[in-house]
Amino acid sequence: TLLWGLGIGFALFLFWLAAGPLLIDFMTTNADIRAEARLFMFAAALTAFTGVIPFVLDGVMQGATLGTIIRNGMVAAAAIFLVAALILEPIFGVSGLWAAIHIFFIARAVIFWVAVNRAKQRLFY
């Protein structure tokens, strides 16, 4: 599922990059909003790819009844996001917030990956 997720996530990333300007134009006629949205289109499209691993692992852990790990991992990743946002937003503005959300997804992926690998022994063997 992870390989399929990564493939689909990358395809969606490419789709959002290609279709993004049309979708932005469909959502608003305001030229200023269109221009601002286009500035962050790459970062927004990238969430389709950076979010795949934690979302797949969410499903694995939910199916394996590892809700405690999901909760604890989310709390830790949220703390990492807050630190990243507090550091990056004053320096980079909205781009810093986008970077912080990608850091959040990557932190969740790492935390959940480590947790699932630790739990494998007791769950599947």
Side-chain angles (χ1 to χ4, degrees), residues 45-55 101-102 105-106 109:
L46 190 59
T47 60
F49 188 65
T50 59
V52 166
I53 294 174
F55 293 139
I101 196 69
H102 291 292
F105 285 144
I106 293 166

Side-chain angles (χ1 to χ4, degrees), residues 6 18 27-28 37 55 72 82-83 88 90 94 108 112 114-116:
L6 288 169
M27 288 189 258
T28 183
F55 293 139
N72 295 345
L82 287 173
V83 170
L88 297 173
V94 176
R108 281 181 59 211
F112 290 169
V114 169
V116 165

